[in-house]
Amino acid sequence: MYIQGGKAMQSHIRKQLLDAFAKAGDAFISGQSIAEITGSSRTAIWKHIEALRQDGYTVEAVRRKGYRITGVPEKMSADSIRMALKETTFGEHIYYYDSVDSTQKVANELAGNGATEGTIVVADQQTGGRGRLARKWFSPQNTGVWMSLIIKPNIPIYQAPQLTLLTAVAAAKAIEEHISVAPYIKWPNDILLNNKKITGILTEMQAEADSIHSIVIGIGINVNQKLVDFPEELQTIASSLHIETGHLFAREEIISSFLRHFESIYKIYQKEGFTIVKELWESYAISVGKKITATTINEKIVGIALGITDQGVLLIKDEQGQVHSIYSADIEI
Ligand code: BT5
């Protein structure tokens, strides 16, 4: 199902047209091809071009060459996300909302109703964005990537935490691609730039008896916020790509990079196992080899982070030489 079809154009025609423009990239598409895609006469194709322009696309028309899209609407939409996707099969089904309680909630419902692997739910704003342990995730309008991805990996339940680590690697790579500074990962799910959190990940699982039905991966990336856009309590601990670089970013491009990196690592992971994720994760991890403090529900453990196990468990060696396995904790460095 494809949400957000055009008003002036039937949504399946619009989808095919935007797909064709996306595939063509910088190249022109001839009037003849557009006539074929839209099933209209050559003289009537301007109607379709006008409909795109009205929705905020900049369409360049050059005689004898045809048409190409040189600008997408500033406001995100399912169409603008679709246009940005490259080399991915993920994102074939896009559910986009201007405002929603939580994309996790929607995606969990969709997963329960048979949504396929690679389905994404994206919102411009979340009114009830959530983190782990019933914490809140601040998700204001027009600024960030608030997205949930449904996957259906063929792995035993105990390996599910590996997907959180895979997500962190894909997000780190997507961010690095846009700002050419490597962010680092703080176990298990924070991505930091200059010691401030720019991305959070929340993984939720639907399982039946001993097999995974689906995993819903929630990812929040702060993209275009200014410091004053954050509530006071977050200003010292959170940041955005804009704050760190001074640039503004098309959020669709960040979504596209994330899905591309996720899908390519996920393919290798499914064939060859966790080694690739573990190696990449440790290369981005700030904590490995450093002294850290892990606060679990029961205790505080201070020691050197040794790395992660194949189950995504963090290993810390304390001053007495005892190695602790950390399943869930908040980490300070
Ligand atoms: C997380 O939880 O970091 C997971 C966040 C996942 C958010 C995505 S957005 C799309 C999808 N839909 C949802 O409803 N959620 C997912 P945790 O490790 O528990 O961190 C939560 C803590 O991060 C909060 O208690 C704040 O201290 C801080 N925080 C809240 N909003 C933030 C923001 N926008 N940027 C940085 N830090 C934030």
Side-chain angles (χ1 to χ4, degrees), residues 18-83:
L18 287 171
D19 278 350
F21 275 121
K23 231 188 237 151
D26 287 340
F28 286 87
I29 302 184
S30 70
Q32 178 63 38
S33 304
I34 292 177
E36 278 162 21
I37 293 164
T38 54
S40 48
S41 70
R42 282 215 54 179
T43 47
I45 60 174
W46 64 268
K47 266 197 243 158
H48 296 290
I49 299 298
E50 268 321 298
L52 290 180
R53 286 185 175 139
Q54 265 167 27
D55 283 354
Y57 289 89
T58 314
V59 187
E60 188 184 2
V62 174
R63 272 191 63 188
R64 290 207 199 88
K65 280 189 168 169
Y67 302 85
R68 65 177 177 181
I69 289 185
T70 53
V72 295
E74 205 171 284
K75 199 172 157 343
M76 258 201 311
S77 66
D79 285 340
S80 69
I81 296 166
R82 181 175 298 282
M83 280 289 293

Side-chain angles (χ1 to χ4, degrees), residues 273-288:
F274 187 54
T275 314
I276 169 125
V277 178
K278 183 172 154 70
E279 278 173 14
L280 285 169
W281 190 90
E282 286 182 345
S283 74
Y284 283 103
I286 187 176
S287 44
V288 176

Side-chain angles (χ1 to χ4, degrees), residues 160-185:
Q162 295 178 347
L163 272 312
T164 303
L165 304 171
L166 195 162
T167 306
V169 171
K173 280 185 168 286
I175 290 165
E176 188 173 16
E177 193 170 284
H178 283 83
I179 63 168
S180 29
V181 180
Y184 33 84
I185 302 173

Side-chain angles (χ1 to χ4, degrees), residues 130-136:
R130 55 191 203 218
R132 296 175 303 156
L133 308 167
R135 292 177 188 140
K136 292 200 168 85

Side-chain angles (χ1 to χ4, degrees), residues 183-187 190-196 280-292 305 314 331-333:
Y184 33 84
I185 302 173
K186 195 175 90 167
W187 184 88
D190 291 355
I191 299 192
L192 311 180
L193 267 178
N194 289 327
N195 231 358
K196 289 183 168 180
L280 285 169
W281 190 90
E282 286 182 345
S283 74
Y284 283 103
I286 187 176
S287 44
V288 176
K290 293 212 173 110
K291 189 172 174 184
I292 63 171
L314 179 68
I331 304 293
E332 280 162 74
I333 297 152

Side-chain angles (χ1 to χ4, degrees), residues 101-105 121 126 128-140 145-148 188-190 196-204 217-222 225 230-231 233-234 237-239 330:
D101 174 3
S102 157
T103 57
Q104 283 300 95
K105 203 170 149 198
V121 181
Q126 295 185 116
R130 55 191 203 218
R132 296 175 303 156
L133 308 167
R135 292 177 188 140
K136 292 200 168 85
W137 183 258
F138 176 64
S139 327
V145 168
W146 323 128
M147 173 166 83
S148 298
N189 67 342
D190 291 355
K196 289 183 168 180
K197 182 160 168 172
I198 46 165
T199 292
I201 296 159
L202 172 69
T203 322
E204 294 173 319
I217 293 172
I219 175 155
I221 307 177
N222 298 324
Q225 289 101 328
F230 286 103
E233 70 273 15
L234 290 181
I237 58 167
S239 191
D330 281 313

